[in-house]
Amino acid sequence: MYAQMVDTGVASLRAVEELSPEEQAFQERIDADIKIEPRDWMTEGYRKTLIRQISQHAHSEIVGQLPEGNWVTRAPTLKRKTILLAKIQDEAGHGLYLYSAAETLGVSRDQMTLDLLSGKAKYSSIFNYPTLSWADIGMIGWLVDGAAIINQIPLCRCSYGPYARAMVRICKEEAFHARQGFDVVMALCRGTPEQKQMAQEALNRWWWPALMMFGPPDTESVNSAQSARWKIKLFSNDELRQRMVDQTVPQAEFLGLSIPDPDLRWNEERGQYDFGAIDWSEFYSVLKGNGPCNRDRIQTRRKAWDDGAWFRDGLNAHAEKQTAKSKAA
Ligand code: 3HC
């Protein structure tokens, strides 16, 4: 599977003979499934790719709190509200583990944050969609966290030690998030016809953006080939997307909801579902900053950064004082 992905990636890879002896030794370690640790020699490309991916992943966890935070004060019961609060706090924790993992590669958290605020660093397209009803909170858990698990379980086995280890705990928590989302949707589907309709409308809004989360089709994925060779990516975008469809369709059937795709059908020969064409122009438009909530999300993060300036200044002043004290001692 991995070899096939290396072959089909859009970017061409350098032949092994073209690599320097150091690069060859590095690749051999990866091929032998030896984890790369922060103090090990690594190619500049490997380091940069990891910083890009891990920081984008961290930003997604942080920005991902915003659509859900929107519903904390409007959750329908005390139980739902405490679950939602716990989940949002988990996402903050995931962001912190991931920023820490990226810091081991020599980039500061401040720099990563500034890259997010300036628009240089991306975050997941999915968090640029609004949460219009309570059912959207269920969809985020069921579909978005469901997709995140499918994408992230393989990352627990990726070649970079700190990233792989961070992902183990993240995936355990994401599994709880997905279950609570399914539970929210199930409660709506077993409720009044209006509640079931609310769930169906939310599914209609979130289905295609959830499939886009896995990234562009393999034929357009610029980073896949190299990331596969470095075992940062163990499965291709399309392979994981297919897994999402195959896993979710029976769940939707159980709930009595219809997937908004007239071309969806079981393919007996492949043992997988065939599904309709994804509107990639929408995905690329969201990436360019033109999704329904892009501006709002970045504005909110900028405000949080500005509002926290006094606190960061206080911490720095305290740290400087402590350093001066210990030097004097
Ligand atoms: N949203 C925004 N940008 C995306 C994207 C998405 N859904 N999918 C791909 N892209 C970007 C890539 O970052 C890349 O841009 P860049 O080169 O400027 O960074 C470009 O589109 C081309 O895509 P590639 O397939 O070549 O990029 P990758 O090899 O990096 O693959 C990925 C994309 C599969 C998302 C991979 O980066 C990955 O597995 N990342 C780790 C997981 C992650 O970040 N998940 C985000 C969601 S986290 C989450 O959902 C939180 C949870 O609490 C719900």
Side-chain angles (χ1 to χ4, degrees), residues 40-291:
D40 294 340
W41 187 89
M42 61 184 80
T43 66
E44 196 47 23
Y46 180 81
R47 198 179 70 83
K48 281 194 176 146
T49 295
L50 280 169
I51 291 176
R52 177 184 63 79
Q53 178 166 323
I54 303 174
S55 67
Q56 288 182 179
H57 192 167
H59 299 326
S60 305
E61 302 282 355
I62 298 299
V63 177
Q65 295 176 104
L66 301 175
E68 292 183 303
N70 198 23
W71 276 88
V72 170
T73 54
R74 291 179 287 165
T77 64
L78 179 61
K79 185 179 142 200
R80 294 289 182 203
K81 181 168 173 148
T82 45
I83 294 172
L84 184 60
L85 272 174
K87 176 187 188 303
I88 295 171
Q89 284 172 3
D90 283 353
E91 307 298 3
H94 299 173
L96 296 190
Y97 311 150
L98 290 165
Y99 283 129
S100 301
E103 278 178 322
T104 64
L105 293 155
V107 60
S108 73
R109 189 164 152 195
D110 280 1
Q111 187 54 53
M112 288 184 269
T113 306
L114 292 172
D115 287 347
L116 169 72
L117 300 184
S118 72
K120 187 175 164 211
K122 295 189 172 78
Y123 58 90
S124 183
S125 50
I126 195 76
F127 299 119
N128 292 304
Y129 291 87
T131 40
L132 302 180
S133 77
W134 172 249
D136 292 289
I137 298 301
M139 291 303 152
I140 292 185
W142 175 34
L143 300 181
V144 175
D145 292 288
I149 295 169
I150 291 172
N151 166 267
Q152 292 173 21
I153 293 272
L155 291 173
C156 300
R157 292 187 286 121
C158 78
S159 60
Y160 189 55
Y163 192 24
R165 289 188 289 274
M167 289 317 301
V168 173
R169 180 159 170 187
I170 292 178
C171 284
K172 283 187 181 155
E173 291 177 351
E174 294 294 4
F176 154 74
H177 297 169
R179 288 176 76 104
Q180 69 80 38
F182 189 78
D183 191 62
V184 167
V185 181
M186 196 157 65
L188 292 172
C189 290
R190 288 183 177 169
T192 63
E194 289 78 11
Q195 285 173 319
K196 188 159 184 194
Q197 181 59 24
M198 193 198 279
Q200 182 62 57
E201 283 167 11
L203 175 59
N204 296 348
R205 282 196 295 278
W206 287 89
W207 175 250
W208 294 106
L211 295 190
M212 291 174 199
M213 276 179 76
F214 294 91
D218 293 351
T219 47
E220 290 173 27
S221 167
V222 283
N223 301 297
S224 276
Q226 186 58 71
S227 288
R229 182 185 264 186
W230 282 329
K231 293 194 184 172
I232 295 170
K233 265 180 145 169
L234 301 183
F235 298 94
S236 80
N237 299 357
D238 287 334
E239 281 171 333
L240 296 177
R241 191 171 4 256
Q242 180 71 53
R243 220 176 263 189
M244 169 78 181
V245 174
D246 294 341
Q247 174 182 297
T248 315
V249 173
Q251 295 171 349
E253 278 168 6
F254 176 79
L255 291 165
L257 294 175
S258 338
I259 301 280
D261 178 356
D263 296 323
L264 183 78
R265 56 186 57 87
W266 179 251
N267 183 323
E268 198 61 55
E269 231 167 79
R270 291 199 307 126
Q272 289 175 325
Y273 282 93
D274 291 335
F275 55 96
I278 294 176
D279 177 5
W280 289 109
S281 65
E282 175 180 326
F283 172 77
Y284 289 117
S285 166
V286 172
L287 256 58
K288 278 196 196 126
N290 300 322

Side-chain angles (χ1 to χ4, degrees), residues 317-329:
H318 179 70
E320 276 165 26
K321 209 168 158 191
Q322 292 298 105
T323 314
K325 247 194 212 170
S326 58
K327 269 190 191 156

